[in-house]
Amino acid sequence: MFGYSKKSNLLENTQQDFSLIDVKDPNLYRDFFPYDEVPKVVFNHRVVPMNVPENIWITDTTFRDGQQSREPYTVNQMTHLFDLIHKLSGPKGIIRMSEFFLYTRKDQEAVYKCLEKGYEFPEVTSWIRASKKDFELVKEIGLKETGILVSCSDYHIFHKMHMTRHQALDHYIAVVRECIETGVIPRCHFEDITRADFYGFVVPFASALMELSRETGVPIKIRACDTLGYGVTYPGTMLPRSVQGIMYGLNNHAGVPSEYLEWHGHNDFYRAVNNATYAWLYGASGVNCSLLGIGERTGNTPLEAMIMEYAQLKGTLDGMDTTVITDIAEYYEKELGYNIPPMTPFVGKNFNVTRAGIHADGLLKNEEIYNIFDTEKLLRRPVRIAISNTSGTSGIAHWINSYFHLTGEAAVEKKDKVVEIVYNWVNEQYNDGRVTVITDGELERVTLDAMKEIDENK
């Protein structure tokens, strides 16, 4: 059967039936994932069309997945970070949801305090075990939605749950139905989707959920979880690793609307940001992130990175206050004692610091030459120069102007006497065997001494 598609303005196949394929032995895709070798990327040259939803957004898992790899946050820390996420999200609520654990009294207290703030965005949601008792807890607290773990690869179905595919699907449907009967919207976390039999289990399961959604009138959301970071975005790659293929199949074969579809990625192979962006481009409205990417193993998709991806794709920040990213980074370092790697984009102390003398010369002439954007305006992080034996007089001049906030006629140039004095002192340091970068404190002292000496000799 075929029908007319308003998306493509073409006649398309509208009836595709993918039945669950039960198997005696688990399909572990050993050709893709030989455990004693690096995983393989396999191509079949099938390319699916880009399908960007009208609206895209970010969801947050800082207080759920983000708590699984660090010391648990206190209630005050969670509520403060929740305030910062709200402020960062802006008036349009681009950061739409934030999920919490409900296991402990501390987690529950944090949820209550965040709910008391009355923010429309981010909406407070939960992640629970799939039991009626936990569903009742979600409803009692006053949450509208909860995440439910529904593992979908044979690694999990056979080796963790000790079920067949049919048993797993029947079990999951019963759990989701029970959640709906309790009065809570289910968000089904398709764990390990990038190692799952896509047409033999994922599509039939997602189709069954969409049928249940139509039957009950309740939106059933699906979170596609790239649990081990196996997703890839190369054109023409095979399932189950193809991010585009997963999004296309869930949209078109299982009939999952974009607004019900969310991507949750991990960074095991350095692909978290790229994979999340492609999930947007190929059909998911939501991407799930955590602050600074903190999460299981190598971490989740960094929320601050997806803020920047959103702005690049949409051509606007839509009211998001990116200066809050700096507030968040400072809070993690000063209040939580978390060490952010200095080269981390947007939040590391050296992300917009240059050491090369030729780069410093360019910055002195025009900041745009070597800075990614106006980091002072967007992040309250002025571009900086780190002084070493390669910085040159241009680097010294830029450092002095930046550190002492000298502008206009007050700004120094690379030929000025104070720059010459500081430059000579730096060279002496390295000629005497120094190998470390000069600190700001040292440079401040030497610069002030040089300025004093110049004034006395006038």
Side-chain angles (χ1 to χ4, degrees):
M1 183 180 293
F2 58 84
Y4 187 77
S5 169
K6 293 182 178 180
K7 281 188 177 181
S8 65
N9 297 315
L10 295 170
L11 293 174
E12 294 184 357
N13 185 7
T14 59
Q15 183 173 343
Q16 301 180 67
D17 182 23
F18 291 90
S19 300
L20 184 141
I21 301 173
D22 228 343
V23 292
K24 180 180 178 181
D25 298 312
N27 180 1
L28 304 181
Y29 289 96
R30 283 302 184 202
D31 290 344
F32 290 74
F33 308 110
Y35 193 58
D36 58 351
E37 298 178 27
V38 177
K40 314 301 182 186
V41 178
V42 184
F43 292 79
N44 62 5
H45 306 290
R46 295 177 184 173
V47 179
V48 298
M50 194 178 291
N51 176 33
V52 186
E54 181 178 358
N55 295 306
I56 59 174
W57 53 77
I58 296 166
T59 61
D60 171 64
T61 188
T62 296
F63 310 119
R64 200 275 298 178
D65 206 339
Q67 281 204 109
Q68 295 182 160
S69 63
R70 66 175 307 280
E71 181 182 346
Y73 297 103
T74 66
V75 172
N76 287 338
Q77 289 166 353
M78 283 191 274
T79 54
H80 183 74
L81 287 171
F82 187 74
D83 283 335
L84 291 175
I85 294 169
H86 167 72
K87 185 178 179 182
L88 172 59
S89 182
K92 294 185 178 181
I94 306 304
I95 305 173
R96 187 161 290 196
M97 291 184 170
S98 187
E99 65 179 336
F100 291 72
F101 279 131
L102 297 180
Y103 294 151
T104 68
R105 290 182 180 178
K106 182 198 70 176
D107 290 320
Q108 293 172 25
E109 182 182 352
V111 167
Y112 280 122
K113 286 186 176 295
C114 290
L115 286 172
E116 287 172 1
K117 295 177 182 295
Y119 298 148
E120 181 181 4
F121 299 111
E123 179 185 341
V124 177
T125 72
S126 63
W127 189 95
I128 60 168
R129 292 159 295 207
S131 71
K132 188 173 181 60
K133 182 180 178 181
D134 282 5
F135 295 147
E136 293 289 354
L137 176 62
V138 173
K139 187 175 182 180
E140 177 185 323
I141 291 174
L143 304 184
K144 299 177 182 178
E145 179 180 313
T146 190
I148 305 169
L149 185 64
V150 287
S151 307
C152 60
S153 77
D154 285 352
Y155 286 86
H156 291 258
I157 294 171
F158 281 78
H159 295 321
K160 184 176 74 174
M161 300 171 64
H162 304 292
M163 292 183 175
T164 66
R165 291 181 183 178
H166 266 297
Q167 289 171 336
L169 188 146
D170 290 343
H171 170 67
Y172 294 153
I173 294 296
V175 167
V176 172
R177 187 179 290 277
E178 190 172 49
C179 182
I180 292 171
E181 289 172 352
T182 307
V184 177
I185 295 173
R187 183 181 62 248
C188 298
H189 294 198
F190 278 39
E191 184 182 20
D192 206 22
I193 197 170
T194 47
R195 286 194 300 180
D197 187 332
F198 192 74
Y199 293 111
F201 185 81
V202 172
V203 169
F205 178 32
S207 299
L209 290 175
M210 292 305 99
E211 180 60 34
L212 182 59
S213 179
R214 289 187 290 271
E215 173 193 327
T216 61
V218 175
I220 299 176
K221 300 181 181 180
I222 291 177
R223 176 180 290 180
C225 300
D226 185 16
T227 306
L228 294 178
Y230 284 128
V232 293
T233 57
Y234 309 130
T237 50
M238 286 183 64
L239 289 164
R241 297 190 68 180
S242 170
V243 175
Q244 301 97 306
I246 290 170
M247 294 299 102
Y248 180 86
L250 289 173
N251 274 156
N252 293 275
H253 300 323
V256 184
S258 291
E259 58 269 25
Y260 290 7
L261 190 54
E262 178 187 40
W263 176 264
H264 171 94
H266 283 261
N267 201 38
D268 297 74
F269 291 91
Y270 284 104
R271 291 192 174 103
V273 173
N274 196 49
N275 286 348
T277 304
Y278 268 70
W280 267 340
L281 293 175
Y282 284 83
S285 285
V287 295
N288 188 236
C289 311
S290 69
L291 292 177
L292 308 186
I294 298 171
E296 281 279 282
R297 301 181 315 281
T298 58
N300 299 106
T301 308
L303 188 146
E304 62 278 5
M306 297 314 295
I307 296 287
M308 297 301 179
E309 289 292 291
Y310 180 99
Q312 292 182 84
L313 292 174
K314 302 287 282 188
T316 174
L317 282 165
D318 270 334
M320 289 185 286
D321 183 356
T322 50
T323 64
V324 179
I325 292 172
T326 299
D327 296 332
I328 290 168
E330 290 176 351
Y331 185 78
Y332 268 88
E333 291 206 307
K334 295 177 181 178
E335 300 298 328
L336 302 181
Y338 182 79
N339 293 319
I340 300 174
M343 306 304 181
T344 306
F346 314 127
V347 293
K349 66 180 181 180
N350 290 338
F351 98 92
N352 65 339
V353 174
T354 187
R355 289 175 172 81
I358 190 169
H359 288 192
D361 185 60
L363 285 169
L364 193 62
K365 292 173 181 175
N366 188 316
E367 186 179 287
E368 292 185 46
I369 295 174
Y370 285 111
N371 202 26
I372 58 173
F373 51 67
D374 189 340
T375 53
E376 183 165 18
K377 174 185 176 183
L378 294 175
L379 295 169
R380 292 200 318 276
R381 296 280 299 273
V383 65
R384 297 287 300 277
I385 298 291
I387 301 303
S388 68
N389 58 327
T390 64
S391 299
T393 54
S394 294
I396 301 292
H398 191 282
W399 184 92
I400 293 173
N401 290 331
S402 175
Y403 190 84
F404 292 100
H405 305 290
L406 304 179
T407 59
E409 294 183 358
V412 300
E413 298 181 358
K414 64 181 183 178
K415 294 182 179 180
D416 286 0
K417 184 64 176 177
V418 66
V419 174
E420 179 185 344
I421 293 172
V422 176
Y423 174 71
N424 289 335
W425 178 85
V426 169
N427 279 341
E428 288 175 7
Q429 293 290 305
Y430 289 104
N431 288 337
D432 289 340
R434 180 167 182 157
V435 295
T436 57
V437 171
I438 308 293
T439 67
D440 286 350
E442 291 175 293
L443 286 170
E444 179 183 14
R445 175 179 56 78
V446 173
T447 303
L448 290 175
D449 288 345
M451 289 176 174
K452 182 179 179 181
E453 176 186 335
I454 293 168
D455 286 340
E456 290 175 350
N457 293 332
K458 283 184 177 178

